Coordinates of all heavy atoms in Angstrom, one line a residue:
M1 N 126.7 20.7 -21.7 CA 125.6 20.5 -20.8 C 124.7 21.7 -20.9 O 125.1 22.8 -20.6 CB 126.0 20.2 -19.4 CG 125.0 20.0 -18.4 SD 125.7 19.5 -16.9 CE 124.4 19.8 -15.8
P2 N 123.4 21.5 -21.2 CA 122.5 22.7 -21.3 C 122.2 23.3 -20.0 O 122.1 22.6 -19.0 CB 121.2 22.1 -22.0 CG 121.3 20.7 -21.8 CD 122.7 20.3 -21.6
I3 N 122.0 24.6 -19.9 CA 121.7 25.3 -18.7 C 120.2 25.3 -18.5 O 119.4 25.6 -19.4 CB 122.2 26.7 -18.7 CG1 123.7 26.7 -18.9 CG2 121.7 27.5 -17.5 CD1 124.3 28.1 -19.1
D4 N 119.7 24.9 -17.3 CA 118.3 24.8 -17.0 C 117.9 26.2 -16.4 O 118.4 26.7 -15.4 CB 118.1 23.7 -15.9 CG 116.6 23.6 -15.6 OD1 115.8 24.1 -16.4 OD2 116.3 22.9 -14.6
N5 N 117.0 26.9 -17.1 CA 116.5 28.2 -16.7 C 115.1 28.2 -16.2 O 114.4 29.2 -16.2 CB 116.8 29.2 -17.7 CG 116.0 28.9 -19.0 OD1 115.3 27.9 -19.1 ND2 116.0 29.9 -19.9
N6 N 114.6 27.0 -15.8 CA 113.2 26.9 -15.4 C 112.9 27.8 -14.2 O 111.8 28.4 -14.1 CB 112.8 25.5 -15.0 CG 112.6 24.6 -16.3 OD1 112.3 25.2 -17.3 ND2 112.7 23.3 -16.2
L7 N 113.8 27.9 -13.2 CA 113.6 28.7 -12.0 C 113.4 30.1 -12.4 O 112.5 30.8 -11.9 CB 114.7 28.5 -11.0 CG 114.8 27.2 -10.3 CD1 116.1 27.1 -9.4 CD2 113.6 26.9 -9.5
V8 N 114.2 30.6 -13.3 CA 114.1 32.0 -13.7 C 112.8 32.2 -14.5 O 112.1 33.2 -14.2 CB 115.3 32.4 -14.6 CG1 115.1 33.8 -15.2 CG2 116.6 32.4 -13.8
E9 N 112.5 31.3 -15.4 CA 111.3 31.5 -16.1 C 110.0 31.4 -15.2 O 109.1 32.2 -15.4 CB 111.2 30.4 -17.2 CG 112.1 30.6 -18.4 CD 112.0 29.5 -19.4 OE1 111.1 28.7 -19.3 OE2 112.8 29.5 -20.3
N10 N 110.0 30.6 -14.3 CA 108.9 30.5 -13.3 C 108.8 31.7 -12.5 O 107.7 32.1 -12.1 CB 109.0 29.2 -12.5 CG 108.8 28.0 -13.2 OD1 108.1 28.0 -14.3 ND2 109.2 26.8 -12.7
S11 N 109.9 32.3 -12.1 CA 109.9 33.5 -11.3 C 109.4 34.7 -12.0 O 108.8 35.6 -11.4 CB 111.2 33.8 -10.6 OG 112.2 34.2 -11.6
I12 N 109.6 34.8 -13.3 CA 109.1 36.0 -14.1 C 107.8 35.8 -14.8 O 107.2 36.8 -15.3 CB 110.2 36.5 -15.1 CG1 110.4 35.4 -16.2 CG2 111.5 36.9 -14.4 CD1 111.3 35.9 -17.3
R13 N 107.3 34.6 -14.8 CA 106.0 34.3 -15.4 C 104.9 35.2 -14.9 O 104.1 35.8 -15.7 CB 105.6 32.8 -15.3 CG 104.3 32.5 -16.0 CD 104.1 31.0 -16.1 NE 105.0 30.4 -17.0 CZ 105.9 29.4 -16.6 NH1 105.9 29.0 -15.4 NH2 106.8 28.9 -17.4
P14 N 104.7 35.4 -13.6 CA 103.6 36.2 -13.1 C 103.8 37.7 -13.6 O 102.8 38.3 -13.8 CB 103.8 36.2 -11.6 CG 104.5 34.9 -11.3 CD 105.4 34.7 -12.5
I15 N 105.0 38.1 -13.7 CA 105.2 39.5 -14.2 C 104.7 39.6 -15.7 O 104.0 40.6 -16.0 CB 106.7 39.9 -14.1 CG1 107.1 40.0 -12.7 CG2 106.9 41.2 -14.8 CD1 108.5 40.1 -12.4
A16 N 105.0 38.6 -16.5 CA 104.6 38.6 -17.9 C 103.1 38.5 -18.0 O 102.4 39.2 -18.8 CB 105.2 37.5 -18.6
I17 N 102.5 37.7 -17.2 CA 101.0 37.5 -17.2 C 100.4 38.8 -16.7 O 99.4 39.3 -17.2 CB 100.6 36.4 -16.3 CG1 101.0 35.1 -17.0 CG2 99.1 36.4 -16.1 CD1 100.8 33.8 -16.1
G18 N 100.9 39.4 -15.6 CA 100.4 40.7 -15.1 C 100.5 41.8 -16.1 O 99.5 42.6 -16.3
R19 N 101.6 41.9 -16.8 CA 101.8 42.9 -17.9 C 100.7 42.8 -18.9 O 100.1 43.8 -19.3 CB 103.2 42.7 -18.5 CG 103.5 43.9 -19.4 CD 104.9 43.7 -20.0 NE 105.9 43.1 -19.1 CZ 106.6 42.0 -19.4 NH1 106.4 41.4 -20.6 NH2 107.5 41.6 -18.6
R20 N 100.4 41.6 -19.3 CA 99.3 41.4 -20.3 C 98.0 41.8 -19.7 O 97.2 42.4 -20.4 CB 99.3 39.9 -20.7 CG 98.3 39.6 -21.8 CD 98.3 38.1 -22.2 NE 98.2 37.3 -21.0 CZ 97.3 36.4 -20.7 NH1 96.3 36.3 -21.6 NH2 97.2 35.7 -19.6
N21 N 97.7 41.4 -18.5 CA 96.4 41.7 -17.9 C 96.2 43.2 -17.6 O 95.1 43.7 -17.7 CB 96.3 40.9 -16.6 CG 96.1 39.5 -16.8 OD1 95.7 39.0 -17.9 ND2 96.3 38.7 -15.7
W22 N 97.3 43.9 -17.3 CA 97.2 45.3 -17.1 C 96.8 46.1 -18.3 O 96.3 47.3 -18.2 CB 98.5 45.9 -16.5 CG 98.8 45.3 -15.1 CD1 97.9 44.9 -14.2 CD2 100.1 45.0 -14.6 NE1 98.5 44.4 -13.1 CE2 99.9 44.4 -13.3 CE3 101.4 45.1 -15.0 CZ2 100.9 44.0 -12.5 CZ3 102.4 44.7 -14.2 CH2 102.2 44.2 -13.0
L23 N 97.0 45.6 -19.5 CA 96.6 46.2 -20.7 C 95.1 46.4 -20.7 O 94.5 47.3 -21.4 CB 97.0 45.4 -21.9 CG 98.5 45.5 -22.2 CD1 98.8 44.5 -23.4 CD2 99.0 46.9 -22.6
F24 N 94.4 45.5 -20.0 CA 92.9 45.5 -20.0 C 92.3 45.9 -18.6 O 91.3 45.3 -18.3 CB 92.4 44.2 -20.5 CG 93.0 43.8 -21.8 CD1 94.0 42.9 -21.9 CD2 92.6 44.4 -23.0 CE1 94.6 42.5 -23.1 CE2 93.1 44.0 -24.2 CZ 94.1 43.1 -24.3
A25 N 93.0 46.7 -17.9 CA 92.6 47.1 -16.6 C 91.4 48.0 -16.5 O 90.8 48.2 -15.5 CB 93.7 47.7 -15.8
G26 N 91.1 48.6 -17.7 CA 89.9 49.5 -17.7 C 90.3 51.0 -17.8 O 89.7 51.8 -18.4
S27 N 91.3 51.4 -17.0 CA 91.8 52.7 -17.0 C 93.2 52.7 -16.5 O 93.7 51.8 -16.0 CB 90.9 53.6 -16.1 OG 91.2 53.3 -14.8
H28 N 93.9 53.9 -16.7 CA 95.3 54.0 -16.3 C 95.3 53.9 -14.7 O 96.2 53.3 -14.2 CB 95.8 55.4 -16.8 CG 97.3 55.6 -16.4 ND1 98.3 54.9 -17.0 CD2 97.8 56.4 -15.5 CE1 99.4 55.3 -16.4 NE2 99.2 56.2 -15.5
E29 N 94.4 54.5 -14.1 CA 94.4 54.5 -12.6 C 94.2 53.1 -12.1 O 94.8 52.6 -11.1 CB 93.2 55.4 -12.1 CG 93.2 55.5 -10.6 CD 92.1 56.4 -10.1 OE1 92.1 57.6 -10.5 OE2 91.3 55.9 -9.3
A30 N 93.3 52.3 -12.7 CA 93.0 50.9 -12.3 C 94.3 50.1 -12.5 O 94.6 49.2 -11.7 CB 91.9 50.3 -13.1
A31 N 95.0 50.3 -13.6 CA 96.3 49.6 -13.8 C 97.3 49.9 -12.8 O 98.0 49.1 -12.3 CB 96.8 49.9 -15.2
Q32 N 97.4 51.2 -12.4 CA 98.3 51.6 -11.3 C 98.0 50.9 -10.0 O 98.9 50.5 -9.3 CB 98.4 53.1 -11.2 CG 99.1 53.8 -12.3 CD 99.1 55.3 -12.1 OE1 98.2 55.9 -11.6 NE2 100.2 55.9 -12.5
I33 N 96.7 50.9 -9.7 CA 96.3 50.2 -8.4 C 96.6 48.7 -8.5 O 97.1 48.2 -7.5 CB 94.8 50.5 -8.2 CG1 94.5 51.9 -7.8 CG2 94.3 49.6 -7.0 CD1 93.1 52.4 -7.9
S34 N 96.4 48.1 -9.6 CA 96.7 46.7 -9.8 C 98.2 46.4 -9.6 O 98.6 45.5 -8.9 CB 96.3 46.2 -11.1 OG 94.9 46.2 -11.2
A35 N 99.0 47.3 -10.2 CA 100.5 47.2 -10.1 C 100.9 47.4 -8.6 O 101.8 46.6 -8.2 CB 101.1 48.2 -11.0
M36 N 100.3 48.3 -7.9 CA 100.7 48.5 -6.5 C 100.3 47.3 -5.7 O 101.2 46.9 -4.9 CB 99.9 49.8 -6.0 CG 100.2 50.1 -4.5 SD 99.2 51.4 -3.9 CE 97.6 50.7 -4.1
L37 N 99.1 46.8 -5.9 CA 98.8 45.6 -5.1 C 99.7 44.4 -5.4 O 100.1 43.6 -4.5 CB 97.3 45.2 -5.3 CG 96.3 46.2 -4.7 CD1 94.9 45.8 -5.1 CD2 96.4 46.1 -3.2
Y38 N 100.0 44.2 -6.7 CA 100.9 43.2 -7.1 C 102.2 43.3 -6.4 O 102.8 42.3 -6.0 CB 101.0 43.2 -8.6 CG 101.9 42.1 -9.1 CD1 101.4 40.8 -9.3 CD2 103.2 42.4 -9.5 CE1 102.3 39.8 -9.8 CE2 104.1 41.4 -9.9 CZ 103.6 40.1 -10.1 OH 104.4 39.1 -10.5
S39 N 102.7 44.5 -6.4 CA 104.0 44.8 -5.7 C 104.0 44.4 -4.2 O 104.9 43.8 -3.7 CB 104.4 46.2 -5.9 OG 104.7 46.5 -7.2
L40 N 102.9 44.8 -3.6 CA 102.7 44.5 -2.1 C 102.6 43.0 -1.9 O 103.3 42.5 -1.0 CB 101.5 45.3 -1.6 CG 101.6 46.8 -1.4 CD1 100.3 47.4 -1.1 CD2 102.7 47.1 -0.4
F41 N 101.9 42.3 -2.7 CA 101.8 40.9 -2.6 C 103.1 40.2 -2.9 O 103.4 39.2 -2.3 CB 100.6 40.3 -3.5 CG 99.3 40.7 -2.9 CD1 98.2 40.6 -3.8 CD2 99.0 41.1 -1.6 CE1 96.9 40.9 -3.3 CE2 97.8 41.4 -1.2 CZ 96.7 41.3 -2.0
A42 N 103.8 40.7 -3.9 CA 105.1 40.1 -4.2 C 106.1 40.3 -3.0 O 106.9 39.4 -2.7 CB 105.7 40.7 -5.4
T43 N 106.0 41.5 -2.3 CA 106.8 41.7 -1.1 C 106.4 40.8 0.0 O 107.3 40.2 0.7 CB 106.7 43.2 -0.7 OG1 107.0 44.0 -1.8 CG2 107.6 43.5 0.5
C44 N 105.1 40.5 0.1 CA 104.7 39.5 1.1 C 105.3 38.1 0.8 O 105.8 37.5 1.7 CB 103.2 39.3 1.1 SG 102.3 40.7 1.9
K45 N 105.3 37.7 -0.4 CA 105.8 36.5 -0.8 C 107.3 36.4 -0.6 O 107.8 35.4 -0.1 CB 105.6 36.2 -2.3 CG 106.0 34.9 -2.8 CD 105.6 34.7 -4.3 CE 106.1 33.4 -4.8 NZ 105.7 33.2 -6.2
L46 N 108.0 37.5 -0.8 CA 109.5 37.6 -0.6 C 109.8 37.4 0.9 O 110.8 36.8 1.3 CB 110.0 38.9 -1.0 CG 111.5 39.2 -0.9 CD1 112.3 38.3 -1.8 CD2 111.8 40.7 -1.2
H47 N 108.9 37.9 1.8 CA 109.1 37.8 3.2 C 108.4 36.6 3.9 O 108.2 36.6 5.1 CB 108.7 39.1 3.9 CG 109.6 40.2 3.5 ND1 110.9 40.4 4.1 CD2 109.5 41.2 2.6 CE1 111.4 41.5 3.5 NE2 110.6 42.0 2.7
N48 N 107.9 35.7 3.1 CA 107.1 34.5 3.5 C 105.9 34.9 4.4 O 105.7 34.3 5.5 CB 108.1 33.5 4.3 CG 109.1 33.0 3.4 OD1 108.8 32.6 2.3 ND2 110.3 32.9 3.9
I49 N 105.2 35.8 3.9 CA 104.0 36.3 4.6 C 102.8 35.9 3.8 O 102.8 36.1 2.5 CB 104.0 37.8 4.9 CG1 105.2 38.2 5.8 CG2 102.7 38.3 5.4 CD1 105.4 39.7 5.9
E50 N 101.7 35.4 4.4 CA 100.5 35.1 3.7 C 99.8 36.4 3.3 O 99.4 37.2 4.1 CB 99.6 34.3 4.5 CG 98.3 33.9 3.9 CD 98.4 33.1 2.7 OE1 99.3 32.2 2.6 OE2 97.6 33.4 1.7
P51 N 99.7 36.7 2.0 CA 99.2 38.0 1.5 C 97.8 38.4 2.0 O 97.6 39.5 2.4 CB 99.3 37.9 0.0 CG 100.2 36.9 -0.3 CD 100.2 35.9 0.8
I52 N 96.9 37.4 2.0 CA 95.5 37.7 2.4 C 95.5 38.0 3.9 O 94.8 38.9 4.3 CB 94.6 36.5 2.0 CG1 94.6 36.3 0.5 CG2 93.2 36.8 2.5 CD1 94.2 37.6 -0.3
Q53 N 96.2 37.2 4.7 CA 96.3 37.5 6.1 C 96.8 38.9 6.4 O 96.3 39.6 7.2 CB 97.1 36.4 6.8 CG 97.3 36.6 8.3 CD 98.2 35.6 8.9 OE1 98.7 34.7 8.2 NE2 98.5 35.7 10.2
W54 N 97.9 39.2 5.7 CA 98.5 40.6 5.8 C 97.5 41.7 5.5 O 97.3 42.6 6.2 CB 99.8 40.7 5.0 CG 100.3 42.1 4.9 CD1 101.0 42.8 5.8 CD2 100.1 43.0 3.8 NE1 101.3 44.0 5.4 CE2 100.7 44.2 4.1 CE3 99.4 42.9 2.6 CZ2 100.7 45.3 3.3 CZ3 99.4 44.0 1.8 CH2 100.0 45.2 2.1
L55 N 96.9 41.5 4.3 CA 95.9 42.5 3.8 C 94.8 42.7 4.8 O 94.4 43.8 5.1 CB 95.5 42.2 2.4 CG 94.5 43.2 1.8 CD1 95.2 44.6 1.6 CD2 94.1 42.7 0.4
T56 N 94.2 41.6 5.3 CA 93.1 41.6 6.2 C 93.5 42.3 7.5 O 92.8 43.2 8.0 CB 92.7 40.2 6.6 OG1 92.3 39.5 5.4 CG2 91.5 40.2 7.5
E57 N 94.7 42.1 8.0 CA 95.1 42.7 9.2 C 95.4 44.2 9.0 O 95.0 45.0 9.8 CB 96.4 42.0 9.7 CG 96.7 42.4 11.2 CD 97.7 41.5 11.8 OE1 97.6 40.2 11.5 OE2 98.5 42.0 12.6
V58 N 96.0 44.5 7.9 CA 96.3 46.0 7.6 C 95.0 46.7 7.4 O 94.8 47.8 8.0 CB 97.2 46.1 6.3 CG1 97.2 47.5 5.8 CG2 98.6 45.6 6.6
L59 N 94.0 46.2 6.7 CA 92.7 46.9 6.5 C 92.0 47.1 7.9 O 91.3 48.1 8.0 CB 91.8 46.1 5.5 CG 92.3 46.2 4.1 CD1 91.4 45.3 3.2 CD2 92.4 47.6 3.6
S60 N 92.2 46.1 8.8 CA 91.5 46.3 10.1 C 92.3 47.3 11.0 O 91.6 47.9 11.9 CB 91.4 45.0 10.8 OG 92.7 44.5 11.3
K61 N 93.5 47.6 10.8 CA 94.3 48.5 11.6 C 94.5 49.9 11.0 O 94.7 50.8 11.8 CB 95.8 47.9 11.8 CG 95.9 46.7 12.6 CD 97.4 46.3 12.7 CE 97.6 45.2 13.7 NZ 99.0 44.8 13.8
I62 N 94.3 50.0 9.7 CA 94.8 51.3 9.1 C 93.9 52.5 9.5 O 94.5 53.6 9.6 CB 94.8 51.1 7.5 CG1 95.6 52.2 6.9 CG2 93.4 51.1 7.0 CD1 96.0 51.9 5.5
K63 N 92.7 52.3 9.8 CA 91.8 53.5 10.2 C 92.3 54.1 11.5 O 92.1 55.3 11.7 CB 90.4 53.1 10.2 CG 90.0 52.1 11.3 CD 88.5 51.8 11.3 CE 88.1 50.7 12.1 NZ 88.4 50.6 13.5
D64 N 92.9 53.4 12.4 CA 93.3 53.9 13.7 C 94.8 54.1 13.7 O 95.4 54.5 14.8 CB 92.9 53.0 14.8 CG 91.4 52.8 14.9 OD1 90.7 53.8 14.7 OD2 91.0 51.7 15.1
H65 N 95.5 53.8 12.6 CA 97.0 53.9 12.6 C 97.5 55.3 12.3 O 97.0 55.9 11.4 CB 97.6 52.9 11.6 CG 99.0 52.5 11.9 ND1 99.3 51.6 12.8 CD2 100.1 52.9 11.4 CE1 100.6 51.4 12.9 NE2 101.1 52.2 12.0
P66 N 98.4 55.9 13.1 CA 98.9 57.2 12.8 C 99.6 57.3 11.4 O 100.4 56.4 11.1 CB 99.9 57.5 13.9 CG 100.0 56.3 14.8 CD 99.1 55.3 14.2
I67 N 99.3 58.3 10.7 CA 99.8 58.5 9.3 C 101.4 58.5 9.3 O 102.0 58.1 8.4 CB 99.2 59.7 8.6 CG1 99.6 59.7 7.1 CG2 99.6 61.0 9.2 CD1 98.9 58.6 6.3
N68 N 102.0 59.1 10.3 CA 103.4 59.2 10.4 C 104.1 57.9 10.7 O 105.3 57.8 10.6 CB 103.9 60.3 11.3 CG 103.5 60.0 12.8 OD1 102.5 59.2 13.0 ND2 104.2 60.6 13.7
K69 N 103.3 56.8 11.0 CA 103.9 55.5 11.2 C 103.3 54.5 10.2 O 103.3 53.3 10.5 CB 103.6 55.1 12.6 CG 104.3 55.9 13.7 CD 104.0 55.4 15.1 CE 104.7 56.2 16.1 NZ 104.4 55.7 17.4
I70 N 102.9 55.0 9.1 CA 102.2 54.1 8.1 C 103.1 53.0 7.5 O 102.7 51.9 7.2 CB 101.5 54.9 7.0 CG1 100.4 54.1 6.3 CG2 102.6 55.4 6.0 CD1 99.2 54.0 7.1
K71 N 104.5 53.3 7.5 CA 105.4 52.3 7.0 C 105.5 51.1 7.9 O 105.9 50.0 7.4 CB 106.8 53.0 7.0 CG 107.0 54.0 5.8 CD 108.4 54.5 5.7 CE 108.5 55.5 4.6 NZ 109.9 55.9 4.4
E72 N 105.0 51.1 9.1 CA 104.9 50.0 10.0 C 104.0 48.9 9.4 O 104.1 47.7 9.7 CB 104.5 50.3 11.4 CG 105.4 51.2 12.1 CD 104.9 51.7 13.5 OE1 103.7 51.4 13.8 OE2 105.6 52.3 14.2
L73 N 103.0 49.3 8.6 CA 102.1 48.4 8.0 C 102.5 47.7 6.7 O 101.8 46.8 6.2 CB 100.7 49.1 7.8 CG 100.1 49.7 9.0 CD1 98.8 50.4 8.7 CD2 99.8 48.6 10.1
L74 N 103.7 48.1 6.2 CA 104.2 47.5 5.0 C 104.6 46.1 5.2 O 104.9 45.7 6.3 CB 105.3 48.3 4.4 CG 105.0 49.7 3.9 CD1 106.3 50.4 3.5 CD2 104.0 49.6 2.7
P75 N 104.5 45.2 4.2 CA 104.8 43.8 4.4 C 106.2 43.5 5.1 O 106.3 42.7 5.9 CB 104.8 43.2 3.0 CG 103.9 44.1 2.2 CD 104.1 45.5 2.8
E76 N 107.2 44.3 4.7 CA 108.6 44.1 5.2 C 108.6 44.4 6.7 O 109.6 43.9 7.4 CB 109.6 44.8 4.4 CG 109.5 46.3 4.4 CD 108.7 46.8 3.2 OE1 108.0 46.1 2.6 OE2 108.9 48.0 2.9
N77 N 107.7 45.1 7.2 CA 107.7 45.5 8.7 C 106.5 44.8 9.4 O 106.2 45.1 10.5 CB 107.5 47.0 8.8 CG 108.6 47.7 8.1 OD1 109.7 47.3 8.2 ND2 108.3 48.8 7.5
Y78 N 105.9 43.8 8.8 CA 104.7 43.2 9.3 C 104.9 42.5 10.6 O 104.2 42.7 11.6 CB 104.2 42.2 8.3 CG 103.0 41.4 8.7 CD1 101.7 42.0 8.8 CD2 103.1 40.0 8.9 CE1 100.6 41.2 9.2 CE2 102.0 39.3 9.3 CZ 100.8 39.9 9.4 OH 99.7 39.1 9.8
Y79 N 106.0 41.7 10.7 CA 106.2 41.0 12.0 C 106.6 41.9 13.1 O 106.3 41.6 14.3 CB 107.2 39.9 11.8 CG 106.7 38.7 11.0 CD1 107.2 38.4 9.7 CD2 105.6 38.0 11.4 CE1 106.7 37.3 9.0 CE2 105.1 36.9 10.7 CZ 105.7 36.6 9.5 OH 105.2 35.6 8.7
A80 N 107.2 43.0 12.8 CA 107.7 43.9 13.9 C 106.5 44.5 14.6 O 106.6 44.8 15.8 CB 108.6 45.0 13.3
T81 N 105.4 44.8 13.9 CA 104.2 45.4 14.5 C 103.1 44.4 14.9 O 102.1 44.8 15.4 CB 103.6 46.5 13.5 OG1 103.2 45.8 12.4 CG2 104.6 47.6 13.2
K82 N 103.3 43.2 14.6 CA 102.3 42.2 14.8 C 102.1 42.0 16.3 O 103.1 41.8 17.1 CB 102.7 40.8 14.2 CG 101.6 39.8 14.2 CD 101.9 38.8 13.1 CE 101.0 37.6 13.2 NZ 99.6 37.9 13.0
S83 N 100.9 42.1 16.8 CA 100.6 42.0 18.2 C 100.2 40.7 18.7 O 100.0 39.8 18.0 CB 99.5 43.0 18.6 OG 98.4 43.0 17.8

């Protein structure tokens, strides 16, 4: 009986597409920023958080948020600080 690996292939497809797209990011810094955002959005997906909602909320809070508590704004801590 053949082993079905569709789930694995589907889970790594965005990484392969991202890797190809990062080659044409324009600069090394732009590629790093893209990779960082991709990682944050993947973490949102892992925790069943809507990425755009999370990003919108973080951008509205970050200017007044204490730097020593910045980890509270990460996706894995999103619900703990949600008011």
Side-chain angles (χ1 to χ4, degrees):
M1 178 172 164
I3 297 174
D4 184 14
N5 62 354
N6 283 338
L7 290 175
V8 173
E9 287 181 8
N10 288 339
S11 68
I12 64 171
R13 182 171 291 118
I15 295 168
I17 291 170
R19 188 178 324 122
R20 182 180 52 118
N21 291 340
W22 295 326
L23 288 174
F24 306 103
S27 69
H28 182 70
E29 184 178 304
Q32 286 181 323
I33 292 168
S34 296
M36 179 187 61
L37 288 173
Y38 181 80
S39 296
L40 289 169
F41 288 160
T43 304
C44 284
K45 185 177 178 182
L46 179 69
H47 293 283
N48 295 318
I49 296 170
E50 178 61 40
I52 299 301
Q53 179 183 355
W54 168 79
L55 184 60
T56 302
E57 195 163 322
V58 166
L59 290 175
S60 71
K61 289 181 176 182
I62 199 163
K63 65 179 169 56
D64 299 322
H65 203 80
I67 190 68
N68 62 336
K69 295 183 179 182
I70 203 72
K71 288 184 179 184
E72 293 175 355
L73 298 178
L74 292 174
E76 60 266 22
N77 302 322
Y78 177 68
Y79 288 118
T81 61
K82 192 161 171 58
S83 44

